[in-house]
Amino acid sequence: MDDCSLDEFRRRWLEELAQAQAPRKRRRPEAAERRARRPEVVPGRGEQASGDSALAQGLLEGAGRPPAARATRTEGQDVASRSRSPLAREGAGGGEQLVDQLIRDLNEMNDVPFFDIQLPYELAINIFQYLNRKELGRCAQVSKTWKVIAEDEVLWYRLCQQEGHLPDSSISDYSCWKLIFQECRAKEHMLRTNWKNRKGAVSELEHIPDAVLCDVHSHDGVVIAGYTSGDVRVWDTRTWDYVAPFLESEDEEDEPGMQPNVSFVRINSSLAVAAYEDGFLNIWDLRTGKYPVHRFEHDARIQALALSQDDATVATASAFDVVMLSPGEDGYWQIAAEFEVPKLVQYLEMVPETGRYPVAVAAAGDLMYLLKAEDSARTLLYAHGPPVTCLDVSANEVAFGVQGLGWVYEGSKILVYSLEAGRRLLKLGNVLRDFTCVNLSDSPPNLMVSGNMDGRVRIHDVRSGNVALSLSAHQLGVSAVQMDDWKVVSGGEEGLVSVWDYRTNQKLWEVYSGPRTGDPVFETGGDKDNWPSPSLPLNTAVKRHSARHGGSPVIPATQETEEL
């Protein structure tokens, strides 16, 4: 409506209001007595009309909506229906009043929520942040204003973070997070389809000649491997760079092949760690170069190694001591905490999401300790029971397998303890053979997967304590297992790697990992794109306390169609 039309509308409106109020001013004093003898007006239309007249007068004077009681939706619909009735139109005689037209328009606007009020943009964003992607798409179809709010970058960046897409990125990294979210979902759908349709490739990473693979670990597509020659190599499978660089040690005087064997390797998004047979520990910063930023020495060989996936904290177990290392405020590495345990530690894991002070769980024979660096406290979780056979931790719980007692007809079990309360929550399984591996940290909520020497992979429901699914996966024992929201990956002592869709109980992949049949797989770990599965020849002379051995990393990978 242009300015001339608006002025004409206001002029005609003022004339009608003046004509309606003129007879009242000319009334005589006796009119009060006649008004007293008039019957009472039935509540409803009269009250509605007076309120609407006040509203119209306020709008003409430039005021906002008066703080009068708002009519209910049923009353508004009733008034609107009466104003649209044929009798009302006949009474108007064809000359429709502008005030009645405005009243009907206001009643129609009241039927649509949030359209008769003005919300601050920040408040609207706070309301829309509780909507999922489908609800945001529906809101974007309501109006132009809602479309702008529903496509705000903050909302779609939050959705990406909630669904695990690009977790390490910030909101300023991309200009259109809605498009990034759509691309991530399309890629995830394509990868899942490739897994189910068996579209992919098996790639063998380049290994070191005349050396035996000792340990392998992976994080977010980056693989680290340690060899008997003392060499440590890193592959980035996200870029398909199979020629891995070496991580050098500080002992450059050692001749090639004369370095001590690598016992353990660990990697996260920023650090790579390697423990050697002579008790030395090297820590590399992947962002600065191939030379270690810190070197630590134990008096005895290192029996267990753990690296936090959240921050820069390393835990080692040597003899009867457990040491936690972390960088200080000045950037120099130092001992954050040191603990003494009565037995040799076989399993050591860092608890994720602990904040400023790191926490670790250590298993030593038939003892289980919770180690807190904040006050160097050592809490005994489990004692004087069967020996521990496997271990895994999440942010709030720890799960570990214990040996069975055949002479008393008690099978092997998996115990789940609460880290906060320090007490047992569940006792799962009761099988004849021992549990060899368990995965709690990567499993979906309320589920846990385990592998056993009987060759079966079991998915446990931690709410009820029952076995949700049991898969006959391997002829020999299961040596490694991992799962995500829809598939299970397991490695066996015979060298076979199997991928299952546990929702349909269907095997998707089956491939031998070792250089020859019979080389056991000792680790499976990866992401949605690929799963490294290393193995070690059986005739190797390497002796270790850990059950993890390997030969060369083999990755069954599913990628986009053009990369197959």
Side-chain angles (χ1 to χ4, degrees), residues 216-296:
V216 169
H217 191 247
S218 65
H219 176 78
D220 195 20
V222 181
V223 182
I224 184 173
Y227 294 84
T228 54
S229 60
D231 295 316
V232 179
R233 303 190 71 173
V234 175
W235 292 269
D236 190 352
T237 61
R238 298 170 297 184
T239 59
W240 296 95
D241 182 13
Y242 297 119
V243 181
F246 288 91
L247 296 179
E248 304 289 345
S249 63
E250 292 184 349
D251 295 335
E252 299 180 357
E253 300 178 357
D254 296 340
E255 298 180 1
M258 299 299 294
Q259 300 179 13
N261 297 342
V262 177
S263 301
F264 303 96
V265 290
R266 295 291 183 269
I267 193 170
N268 61 14
S269 59
S270 59
L271 297 179
V273 184
Y276 298 86
E277 291 288 337
D278 58 355
F280 278 90
L281 178 75
N282 282 340
I283 302 176
W284 293 272
D285 191 338
L286 299 177
R287 299 165 295 185
T288 58
K290 62 180 182 179
Y291 293 100
V293 296
H294 185 69
R295 184 177 175 88
F296 187 78

Side-chain angles (χ1 to χ4, degrees), residues 225-444:
Y227 294 84
T228 54
S229 60
D231 295 316
V232 179
R233 303 190 71 173
V234 175
W235 292 269
D236 190 352
T237 61
R238 298 170 297 184
T239 59
W240 296 95
D241 182 13
Y242 297 119
V243 181
F246 288 91
L247 296 179
E248 304 289 345
S249 63
E250 292 184 349
D251 295 335
E252 299 180 357
E253 300 178 357
D254 296 340
E255 298 180 1
M258 299 299 294
Q259 300 179 13
N261 297 342
V262 177
S263 301
F264 303 96
V265 290
R266 295 291 183 269
I267 193 170
N268 61 14
S269 59
S270 59
L271 297 179
V273 184
Y276 298 86
E277 291 288 337
D278 58 355
F280 278 90
L281 178 75
N282 282 340
I283 302 176
W284 293 272
D285 191 338
L286 299 177
R287 299 165 295 185
T288 58
K290 62 180 182 179
Y291 293 100
V293 296
H294 185 69
R295 184 177 175 88
F296 187 78
E297 182 181 3
H298 283 279
D299 296 333
R301 72 178 298 273
I302 298 175
Q303 301 150 190
L305 174 66
L307 173 63
S308 175
Q309 300 300 311
D310 304 324
D311 51 21
T313 304
V314 181
T316 61
S318 177
F320 301 101
D321 297 327
V322 177
V323 179
M324 291 186 184
L325 303 172
S326 62
E329 297 180 356
D330 53 359
Y332 291 97
W333 283 78
Q334 59 187 4
I335 297 178
E338 190 171 2
F339 308 89
E340 184 178 354
V341 293
K343 295 184 179 181
L344 298 179
V345 175
Q346 287 88 20
Y347 303 96
L348 183 64
E349 295 289 345
M350 298 295 301
V351 179
E353 303 176 7
T354 57
R356 179 180 178 182
Y357 299 99
V359 179
V361 176
D366 58 350
L367 302 176
M368 180 78 66
Y369 289 99
L370 181 64
L371 309 176
K372 298 182 179 181
E374 180 178 4
D375 49 5
S376 298
R378 187 188 70 180
T379 304
L380 185 63
L381 291 177
Y382 170 80
H384 309 301
V388 177
T389 59
C390 54
L391 171 67
D392 194 28
V393 297
S394 64
N396 302 312
E397 299 171 345
V398 55
F400 56 96
V402 295
Q403 290 183 359
L405 302 176
W407 60 88
V408 293
Y409 301 102
E410 185 176 356
S412 179
K413 300 179 181 61
I414 292 180
L415 306 181
V416 180
Y417 275 69
S418 171
L419 294 177
E420 182 178 1
R423 60 182 182 86
R424 191 180 70 189
L425 300 178
L426 288 173
K427 181 188 294 186
L428 305 174
N430 189 10
V431 296
L432 296 178
R433 306 295 297 273
D434 292 338
F435 286 98
T436 56
C437 49
V438 61
N439 185 268
L440 177 64
S441 57
D442 301 315
S443 300

Side-chain angles (χ1 to χ4, degrees), residues 11-25:
R11 186 185 62 79
R12 293 177 56 190
W13 201 349
L14 289 173
E15 291 177 357
E16 292 175 2
L17 291 177
Q19 294 175 3
Q21 295 176 359
R24 299 179 184 177
K25 297 179 179 179

Side-chain angles (χ1 to χ4, degrees), residues 27-42:
R27 287 175 182 173
R28 291 175 297 180
E30 299 86 55
E33 299 178 1
R34 292 197 299 269
R35 284 198 301 268
R37 293 194 296 267
R38 288 179 183 175
E40 296 182 2
V41 180
V42 179

Side-chain angles (χ1 to χ4, degrees), residues 5-117:
S5 301
L6 183 60
D7 294 337
E8 180 65 16
F9 177 83
R10 289 179 176 175
R11 186 185 62 79
R12 293 177 56 190
W13 201 349
L14 289 173
E15 291 177 357
E16 292 175 2
L17 291 177
Q19 294 175 3
Q21 295 176 359
R24 299 179 184 177
K25 297 179 179 179
R26 293 194 300 267
R27 287 175 182 173
R28 291 175 297 180
E30 299 86 55
E33 299 178 1
R34 292 197 299 269
R35 284 198 301 268
R37 293 194 296 267
R38 288 179 183 175
E40 296 182 2
V41 180
V42 179
R45 182 173 178 83
E47 295 177 1
Q48 178 71 21
S50 61
D52 292 333
S53 300
L55 173 62
Q57 181 67 28
L59 290 175
L60 285 175
E61 296 174 357
R65 187 168 188 146
R70 180 174 174 179
T72 62
R73 181 167 181 172
T74 305
E75 295 174 353
Q77 292 177 351
D78 185 41
V79 174
S81 61
R82 289 197 300 267
S83 63
R84 300 190 193 99
S85 62
L87 295 177
R89 288 197 297 268
E90 291 178 1
E96 193 174 45
Q97 299 292 326
L98 295 178
V99 177
D100 294 336
Q101 178 66 35
L102 176 62
I103 292 172
R104 287 200 301 271
D105 293 341
L106 290 175
N107 289 332
E108 292 176 357
M109 291 172 61
N110 290 339
D111 293 340
V112 182
F114 302 128
F115 272 76
D116 57 339
I117 59 177

